[in-house]
């Protein structure tokens, strides 16, 4: 085996012969090319071989520089010959045809200019080729990161502050479906002879509703398109007139509290018009699940008719539906769809969110910690655990929530029915919480408000 000496430098072996392109191999196993093959002289290397030592940038030397460098060296190495071809460490060589060039750099041993090999396209070989790119790219990247963090924490420097028309802390899901039958007038209002657990009685500042359209064109408040779960009748809402709609069951399971059931004396389905008329100043979010333009235009018309466009929020999971909702009544505030939510989170992690306009005013999002406890988006528990881990890492960021609220976007987590979840949501800086149990959330808010006042005094 040949020996290669030379301080911290790398030795290269050049295969002897008359080929016009010598092949070079260094000790690390990386292959390079020399423009020509040349002997270094009788006394330069024993065994009649050919050799050259390159600089620390993995660059190669031109012939004249190699002779000058070799004659000034105090160490020598040996090259073995085997059928006209030398090897280094048993490694294979790389042959790449094409004319190569060289550029000059200062040798650390002789003080003279030495060459640096380039390929046929003129690109330098080795890490030195990356230095100009890094010289400009790293400062630009660092400046971008600093600016992104700066404006993320100070969004009002780029965007005009927006004062919301209302700030809901307590949001009643389906009117308060954990304490009375969902989407009924009994669950929403507070007649003293019926109940004291209605959402309005507990000071709900926002009602969450889902709407469907009957065959005769009446907008009704119903979460499901099919009536089987709610009434036991396997018919769609759109296949019946409003007067033909069945009564609710006497008890309904609370979707986000499995094993718990709600009861109530009012079992009638509710028209959206009745709610608008009964509570003209109570903000409501209206979710449109189906791509039904007639339904969208009727909701938009009702909001204008009762002069409540500013306090009625468009909600939908689909961006295509939300686009039609916005066109039907642009005065109604928008909430994020699923695609827009994913895009917003992606922009946040890329550092671009501070520089992008956000037309939405509400971010209605599930709290990741409820997955696999009260919320099961997938039938497979493994997928639920994965979804919980990914969304918890991506969404539960105080800096994200603070930035959104600084730009006038109110963050509401759904659907939380336990005090521990209330604590998590508000500790992240959420504007409000959506719940099936307005009484429990009202008790939590009152207790913590009293505690904060006492600590302040």
């Amino acid at each position: 085996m040949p020996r290669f000496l030379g301080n911290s430098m790398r030795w290269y072996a050049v295969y002897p012969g008359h080929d016009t392109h010598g092949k070079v191999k260094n000790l690390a196993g990386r292959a390079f090319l020399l423009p020509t093959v040349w002997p270094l002289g009788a006394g330069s290397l024993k065994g009649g071989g050919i050799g050259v030592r390159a600089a620390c940038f993995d660059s190669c030397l031109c012939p004249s520089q190699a002779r000058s460098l070799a004659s000034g060296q105090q160490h020598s190495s040996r090259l073995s010959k085997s059928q006209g071809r030398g090897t280094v460490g048993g490694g294979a060589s790389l042959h790449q045809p094409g004319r190569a060039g060289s550029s000059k750099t200062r040798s650390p041993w002789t003080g003279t200019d030495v060459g640096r090999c380039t390929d046929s396209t003129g690109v330098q070989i080795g890490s030195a080729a990356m230095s100009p790119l890094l010289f400009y790219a790293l400062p630009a990247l660092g400046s971008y990161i600093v600016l992104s963090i700066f404006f993320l924490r100070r969004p009002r420097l780029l965007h005009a502050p927006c004062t919301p028309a209302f700030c809901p802390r307590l949001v009643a899901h389906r009117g308060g479906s954990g304490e009375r039958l969902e989407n009924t007038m009994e669950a929403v209002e507070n007649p003293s002879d019926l109940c004291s657990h209605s959402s309005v009685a507990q000071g709900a500042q926002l009602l969450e509703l889902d709407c469907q359209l009957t065959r005769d064109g009446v907008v009704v408040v119903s979460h499901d398109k099919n009536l089987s779960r709610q009434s036991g009748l396997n018919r769609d809402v759109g296949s019946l007139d409003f007067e033909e709609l069945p009564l609710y069951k006497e008890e309904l399971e609370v979707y986000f509290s499995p094993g718990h059931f709600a009861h109530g004396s009012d079992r009638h389905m509710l028209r959206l018009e009745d709610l608008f008329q009964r509570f003209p100043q109570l903000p409501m979010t209206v979710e449109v699940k189906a791509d039904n333009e007639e339904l969208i235009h009727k909701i938009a018309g009702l909001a204008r008719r009762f002069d409540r466009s500013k306090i009625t929020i468009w909600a939908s999971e689909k961006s295509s539906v939300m686009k039609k909702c916005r066109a039907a009544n642009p005065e109604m505030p928008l909430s994020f769809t699923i695609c827009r939510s994913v895009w917003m989170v992606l922009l946040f992690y890329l550092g671009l969110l501070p520089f992008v306009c956000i037309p939405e005013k509400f971010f209605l999002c599930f709290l990741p910690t409820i997955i696999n406890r009260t919320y099961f988006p997938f039938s497979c528990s493994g997928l639920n655990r994965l979804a919980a881990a990914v969304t918890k890492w991506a969404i539960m960021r105080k800096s994200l929530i603070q930035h959104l609220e600084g730009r006038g976007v109110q963050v509401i987590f759904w659907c939380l029915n336990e005090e521990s979840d209330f604590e998590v949501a508000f500790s992240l800086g959420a504007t409000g919480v959506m719940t099936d149990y307005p009484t429990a959330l009202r008790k939590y808010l009152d207790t913590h408000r009293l505690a904060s006042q006492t600590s302040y005094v």
Side-chain angles (χ1 to χ4, degrees):
M1 294 295 293
R3 274 191 320 173
F4 298 90
L5 304 176
N7 300 332
S8 61
M9 324 308 295
R10 291 189 176 91
W11 278 96
Y12 293 80
V14 182
Y15 302 138
H18 300 287
D19 191 352
T20 58
H21 294 86
K23 306 172 186 177
V24 183
K25 189 81 173 176
N26 69 359
L27 292 180
R30 298 171 57 185
F32 292 84
L33 302 179
L34 290 179
T36 56
V37 176
W38 66 92
L40 297 183
S44 58
L45 288 176
K46 295 182 179 180
I50 302 173
V52 66
R53 187 168 64 178
C56 57
F57 290 103
D58 291 337
S59 57
C60 302
L61 305 179
C62 61
S64 61
Q65 294 159 351
R67 295 189 187 98
S68 173
L69 181 60
S71 62
Q73 300 306 317
Q74 299 178 358
H75 302 285
S76 64
S77 63
R78 297 179 181 275
L79 292 176
S80 62
K81 290 184 178 181
S82 175
Q83 297 180 355
R85 186 171 65 180
T87 60
V88 179
S93 64
L94 174 65
H95 178 70
Q96 179 179 348
R99 185 174 183 82
S102 64
S103 60
K104 292 184 177 181
T105 185
R106 182 68 59 180
S107 169
W109 310 286
T110 65
T112 61
D113 290 339
V114 296
R116 188 163 53 199
C117 282
T118 59
D119 61 11
S120 59
T121 62
V123 179
Q124 295 178 1
I125 300 176
S127 58
M130 295 299 295
S131 57
L133 176 63
L134 295 179
F135 180 78
Y136 294 104
L138 289 180
L141 180 61
S143 301
Y144 166 71
I145 294 174
V146 170
L147 286 176
S148 178
I149 295 175
F150 178 81
F151 287 114
L152 183 72
R153 297 178 178 177
R154 299 166 180 83
R156 297 189 178 185
L157 294 179
L158 292 180
H159 307 277
C162 177
T163 303
F166 57 95
C167 295
R169 300 284 283 173
L170 194 161
V171 184
H173 181 241
R174 303 183 193 176
S177 60
E179 298 172 352
R180 289 295 182 270
L181 294 179
E182 64 184 51
N183 296 323
T184 60
M185 189 66 76
E186 181 184 11
V188 178
E189 67 180 0
N190 183 31
S192 59
D193 59 336
L194 287 180
C195 69
S196 60
H197 294 287
S198 68
S199 56
V200 173
Q202 300 305 323
Q205 294 128 346
L206 179 65
L207 296 182
E208 188 275 336
L209 309 171
D210 307 276
C211 290
Q212 306 287 342
L213 190 68
T214 63
R215 184 172 57 189
D216 54 347
V218 178
V219 181
V220 295
V221 181
S222 174
H223 179 272
D224 298 351
K225 177 182 178 181
N226 187 276
L227 296 168
S228 179
R229 179 188 67 87
Q230 298 164 304
S231 66
L233 178 64
N234 189 19
R235 295 284 298 273
D236 289 346
V237 174
S239 66
L240 300 172
D241 293 339
F242 177 72
E243 298 297 332
E244 299 174 341
L245 293 175
L247 298 176
Y248 282 124
K249 296 178 181 178
E250 293 184 356
E251 66 174 17
L252 291 175
E253 185 176 15
V254 183
Y255 183 80
F256 289 98
S257 293
H260 294 78
F261 293 85
H263 305 78
S265 58
D266 183 6
R267 299 168 55 194
H268 294 85
M269 297 191 70
L270 190 62
R271 297 188 306 174
L272 182 63
E273 180 180 357
D274 295 335
L275 272 180
F276 282 178
Q277 187 173 6
R278 177 71 176 83
F279 306 102
Q281 302 301 321
L282 180 62
M284 301 180 193
T285 170
V286 179
E287 181 173 356
V288 181
K289 296 184 177 297
D291 190 354
N292 188 328
E293 292 193 24
E294 183 183 0
L295 173 62
I296 293 172
H297 284 282
K298 283 186 175 290
I299 294 174
L302 287 172
R304 291 193 183 98
R305 175 183 166 189
F306 289 93
D307 192 23
R308 53 172 299 121
S309 294
K310 300 293 185 181
I311 59 173
T312 305
I313 306 166
W314 285 121
S316 180
E317 294 181 348
K318 303 176 182 178
S319 297
S320 58
V321 174
M322 184 60 72
K323 184 177 180 180
K324 296 179 180 178
C325 292
R326 184 179 185 180
N329 191 338
E331 296 181 1
M332 294 172 59
L334 306 178
S335 61
F336 279 88
T337 62
I338 292 179
C339 289
R340 285 284 298 170
S341 298
V342 173
W343 179 242
M344 181 266 293
V345 172
L346 180 61
L347 290 177
F348 169 73
Y349 284 101
L350 291 176
L352 295 171
L353 187 59
F355 311 105
V356 177
C357 294
I358 301 178
E360 292 86 355
K361 298 302 178 185
F362 288 88
F363 180 45
L364 309 177
C365 179
F366 66 90
L367 189 69
T369 56
I370 70 173
I371 297 181
N372 247 6
R373 292 197 298 111
T374 61
Y375 178 43
F376 304 89
F378 304 103
S379 58
C380 176
S381 60
L383 288 178
N384 287 327
R385 286 193 296 270
L386 178 62
V390 172
T391 54
K392 182 179 179 180
W393 174 85
I395 299 174
M396 296 179 65
R397 303 286 181 177
K398 280 188 176 182
S399 56
L400 171 61
I401 296 173
Q402 290 173 356
H403 177 79
L404 291 176
E405 292 192 340
R407 297 180 61 175
V409 179
Q410 302 189 60
V411 180
I412 298 174
F413 285 113
W414 56 262
C415 180
L416 314 183
N417 295 329
E418 299 177 6
E419 184 172 335
S420 60
D421 294 326
F422 302 159
E423 183 70 29
V424 172
F426 285 118
S427 65
L428 287 172
T431 307
V433 165
M434 187 183 300
T435 181
D436 291 312
Y437 297 92
T439 302
L441 181 54
R442 171 51 56 195
K443 182 179 179 181
Y444 171 85
L445 292 173
D446 291 343
T447 301
H448 284 72
R449 179 175 58 186
L450 180 61
S452 62
Q453 292 174 352
T454 303
S455 62
Y456 178 76
V457 173

